[in-house]
Amino acid sequence: MARPLIQMALDSLDFNQTVELADKVAPYVDIFEIGTPCIKYNGINLVKELRQRYPDKLLLVDLKTMDAGEYEAGAFYAAGADICTVLGVSGLATIAGVIKAAKKHGAETQIDLINVADKAECARESVKLGAQIVGIHTGLDAQAAGHTPFTDLNDIARLGLNVRISVAGGIKQATVQQVVEAGANIIVVGAAIYGAPCPATSAREIRELVDAAAA
Ligand SMILES: O=C(CO)[C@H](O)[C@H](O)COP(=O)(O)O
């Protein structure tokens, strides 16, 4: 099995804390995600800072674009994003716009299936448009209401689409093996790392668990 990537969700609002956290966990993760609240609060300068600081890491900007896909995402790809997210609920025209902007910069697009009613259909259509990643995502509010991403992950993985699958939504040490075995290619982790007493230790544990599950 190809080694799944670990994506660290940087979900603080504070610019310096975000950079400090990235520094702490960098040895253990493959992708830095600038979370949606974080990018709204800090803007494109944070993309530039992390790009310059980490030229060899993948950088995902969690724009969760809902409209004006090409226009909105284009600036972030130009600033150094490797991946931007667009909401599946935005519709195919907006998704196509973000994909167009990504292609212009040799970058990738992730379709976030959060709150999409027919996730299989949205994933299939997104792949036809040229998306490289679909995101199974139980958001923070849905997590608080007791939801998890596991059933949706299994359902989408079973489709066997030519697309990488990202999973997010409260993934922690206890659930890493399950999501790797279900077929996730990108494991997104936020609170289980940034909320831990020692984020670096937590990130290292998750790295070891992902690698062991994929071996
Ligand atoms: O995109 C997000 C919220 O919309 C989070 O970054 C994502 O859910 C990962 O964080 P956690 O592991 O804490 O769920």
Side-chain angles (χ1 to χ4, degrees):
M1 181 190 293
R3 186 188 196 229
L5 301 181
I6 298 176
Q7 177 172 316
M8 172 73 221
L10 299 166
D11 277 334
S12 168
L13 294 183
D14 186 277
F15 190 104
N16 292 329
Q17 275 180 19
T18 298
V19 174
E20 280 166 25
L21 178 59
D23 287 348
K24 282 181 191 158
V25 304
Y28 311 111
V29 307
D30 307 289
I31 305 175
F32 284 133
E33 168 194 333
I34 305 178
T36 313
C38 185
I39 194 63
K40 285 186 178 177
Y41 195 80
N42 292 290
I44 207 156
N45 284 341
L46 182 56
V47 180
K48 293 177 183 167
E49 172 70 23
L50 289 176
R51 181 73 292 156
Q52 191 194 359
R53 215 172 169 91
Y54 290 106
D56 299 327
K57 288 276 183 222
L58 292 169
L59 194 53
L60 178 145
V61 183
D62 194 10
L63 292 174
K64 293 192 179 81
T65 294
M66 185 62 180
D67 190 17
E70 184 181 1
Y71 186 51
E72 178 168 280
F76 291 90
Y77 286 121
D82 296 294
I83 306 162
C84 288
T85 64
V86 54
L87 292 172
V89 294
S90 69
L92 296 182
T94 301
I95 292 171
V98 177
I99 291 171
K100 187 174 174 196
K103 281 192 178 145
K104 191 172 159 201
H105 293 278
E108 297 190 322
T109 306
Q110 175 172 319
I111 316 309
D112 188 334
L113 298 178
I114 189 170
N115 293 338
V116 170
D118 189 341
K119 293 180 174 54
E121 176 67 7
C122 183
R124 276 194 206 97
E125 292 303 316
S126 299
V127 173
K128 279 188 208 158
L129 288 174
Q132 293 85 5
I133 307 166
V134 292
I136 305 300
H137 186 188
T138 301
L140 299 171
D141 296 336
Q143 287 178 49
H147 298 285
T148 68
F150 308 120
T151 303
D152 289 337
L153 172 61
N154 288 329
D155 290 348
I156 295 296
R158 263 197 291 268
L159 298 176
L161 297 173
N162 184 23
V163 72
R164 305 206 301 287
I165 300 176
S166 162
V167 64
I171 308 301
K172 54 191 176 198
Q173 283 86 336
T175 49
V176 160
Q177 186 177 348
Q178 170 181 1
V179 296
V180 172
E181 287 174 355
N185 307 104
I186 300 173
I187 320 289
V188 184
V189 187
I193 294 178
Y194 66 68
C198 177
T201 301
S202 183
R204 182 173 47 74
E205 287 168 0
I206 287 167
R207 171 89 274 158
E208 289 168 1
L209 287 164
V210 167
D211 291 350

